[in-house]
Amino acid sequence: METLSRRALNRATLERQLLLRRAKMSAFDAIEHLAGLQAQAPFPPYFGLWSRLEGFQPSELVELLESRRVVRIALMRGTVHLVTAADALAWRPVVQGIYDRDLKQNTLHAAALSGLDHSAVASAARELLLRGPMPGNALGAELAARWSDVPKASLTHLARGRLPLVQTPPRAIWGKAGQTTYACLDEWVGAPLSPPSPASLIARYLRAFGPATVADVQTWAGITRLGEVASSMDLRRYRDPDGRELLDLPELTVPAEDVPAPPRLLGPFDQTILSYADRTRVISDAYRKRVISHNGLVKGTLLVDGQVCGFWEIKATRKAAAIELSPFEKLGKRDLAALEKSAGELVKWAEAAAETYDVRTHPPE
């Protein structure tokens, strides 16, 4: 069995995540190829697509959201993702166990919900949402009219757990602000949910993130016992430098480890650094602690030779926009120049209404 070096795994990850070179593909095709984008905040997917696609403009993603071809929905790990409507219909049944467990164990809501008929509450919530999308607090208030002894927030939480609720526009529409409003996925896109297929979910993960271990797949998906499923699949198998088995689709190959990896700016919450049990293929453990906060916020990052080496932040007023680069280590002049050039392009793209722009690089701490 062939052993893949960490550098080879890094290059494979970059290639499949469209980070070795900007891709000439539509935003829809990219979202499908990438197995979705992290979307627990409204706008990181726009930055994720900017990092990966030639000429991406926010209006392309806005049109996909408004036409319901892509949706924002809690899926893997209980986290909101931006995915195609077809993938949402296929994947929510596979990960439903995450939400079933949460309703029994959630420290804020489980006690209040323990004596309820969950199916009855979910059915009532679905009937309410047939009238049209509703904010969470309004949905909870309507449900509380029937279950008056249960906190409104807990009833909303139950509805989110038992029903495949999408977050509807104008939430996450570029340049707009909107509270979170919900609709049932199947009603919103006009199609039924698919029978659960864990094998299909594994295959899609490997196409976007492989080669990877079973632990990596389970970390991304948030569900367990996928090793049993993977063992029955026709997969290519490798070893990593620590001897762990890596899985991949048989038709895919791994690029040479000496393939150049250009400096890049990745967006906040980028899945490249969140979707593995062992993230050292793209970020060291020490740097991970500087990029991801204790409450789970993930900064936009700097990538040099395929590895995270710092972070970036945009600070903007109505008239002026600046992007600040904070490398963790001294960078070569060529790499730093490439990052600063890309940063200048990013801030102008993200803050198109500003009158002045600036790129500031802080010395490594």
Side-chain angles (χ1 to χ4, degrees):
M1 189 180 298
E2 181 182 356
T3 297
L4 299 179
S5 67
R6 293 197 187 282
R7 188 176 178 86
L9 287 174
N10 172 270
R11 294 307 192 258
T13 296
L14 298 181
E15 180 180 62
R16 298 192 193 181
Q17 282 292 301
L18 308 180
L19 291 170
L20 282 181
R21 62 197 69 83
R22 276 192 165 87
K24 296 179 181 179
M25 66 170 63
S26 69
F28 180 87
D29 288 343
I31 293 164
E32 184 177 57
H33 170 83
L34 295 165
L37 292 160
Q38 298 271 141
Q40 56 264 68
F43 302 120
Y46 291 88
F47 290 92
L49 292 171
W50 178 88
S51 298
R52 292 166 165 84
L53 302 181
E54 281 193 8
F56 170 73
Q57 293 299 322
S59 58
E60 188 178 359
L61 180 51
V62 168
E63 191 279 329
L64 291 174
L65 284 163
E66 291 181 337
S67 66
R68 310 185 187 186
R69 296 182 66 203
V70 303
V71 296
R72 299 179 74 249
I73 182 173
L75 286 173
M76 289 72 71
R77 306 186 306 285
T79 300
V80 177
H81 282 72
L82 177 83
V83 296
T84 68
D87 284 342
L89 293 166
W91 295 350
R92 181 55 192 257
V94 181
V95 300
Q96 180 59 40
I98 297 172
Y99 303 93
D100 294 339
R101 286 193 301 274
D102 175 75
L103 291 174
K104 297 177 181 178
Q105 300 172 1
N106 187 279
T107 55
L108 293 177
H109 303 293
L113 298 175
S114 62
L116 286 182
D117 182 337
H118 289 194
S119 295
V121 176
S123 295
R126 178 178 282 277
E127 288 297 320
L128 290 167
L129 291 168
L130 287 175
R131 305 174 188 172
M134 296 180 67
N137 56 358
L139 178 61
E142 291 277 2
L143 293 170
R146 179 172 171 183
W147 289 277
S148 57
D149 57 337
V150 182
K152 291 180 288 187
S154 296
L155 291 167
T156 303
H157 186 78
L158 192 160
R160 286 199 301 260
R162 288 296 300 267
L163 298 174
L165 298 187
V166 296
Q167 298 186 9
T168 64
R171 183 72 170 171
I173 296 300
W174 187 258
K176 294 184 179 181
Q179 66 177 323
T180 302
T181 58
Y182 295 107
C184 287
L185 168 65
D186 46 335
E187 297 290 343
W188 183 251
V189 303
L193 274 72
S194 305
S197 174
S200 295
L201 189 68
I202 292 171
R204 289 293 301 284
Y205 172 84
L206 293 175
R207 188 169 296 279
F209 296 98
T213 65
V214 169
D216 291 326
V217 186
Q218 293 183 159
T219 294
W220 171 76
I223 56 179
T224 58
R225 303 185 68 178
L226 292 181
E228 302 172 16
V229 180
S231 65
S232 66
M233 297 173 64
D234 177 22
L235 297 173
R236 187 190 301 269
R237 299 173 192 273
Y238 301 97
R239 295 284 181 192
D240 74 3
D242 297 318
R244 293 171 294 201
E245 185 179 64
L246 297 162
L247 308 176
D248 204 7
L249 299 181
E251 68 271 21
L252 299 184
T253 58
V254 176
E257 62 178 35
D258 59 354
V259 169
R264 287 294 185 90
L265 276 67
L266 301 186
F269 296 99
D270 198 282
Q271 68 263 29
T272 306
I273 61 174
L274 295 174
S275 300
Y276 298 95
D278 180 359
R279 304 177 189 181
T280 58
R281 66 172 71 191
V282 290
I283 186 171
S284 70
D285 291 335
Y287 286 174
R288 178 164 52 88
K289 295 174 182 177
R290 300 178 66 177
V291 166
I292 304 175
S293 69
H294 291 298
N295 58 354
L297 297 179
V298 185
K299 297 176 180 178
T301 51
L302 310 177
L303 209 64
V304 169
D305 195 29
Q307 289 286 325
V308 171
C309 63
F311 63 86
W312 62 265
E313 295 176 292
I314 290 177
K315 298 183 178 179
T317 63
R318 184 173 298 178
K319 293 186 177 182
I323 185 167
E324 299 185 354
L325 309 184
S326 299
F328 298 148
E329 58 199 56
K330 183 175 176 58
L331 301 177
K333 290 183 179 180
R334 184 175 297 179
D335 290 333
L336 184 57
L339 289 173
E340 290 176 337
K341 180 178 183 295
S342 185
E345 295 168 352
L346 175 58
V347 70
K348 290 179 181 179
W349 173 86
E351 302 291 337
E355 297 176 5
T356 63
Y357 301 94
D358 192 17
V359 177
R360 305 168 187 160
T361 301
H362 299 291
E365 296 181 358

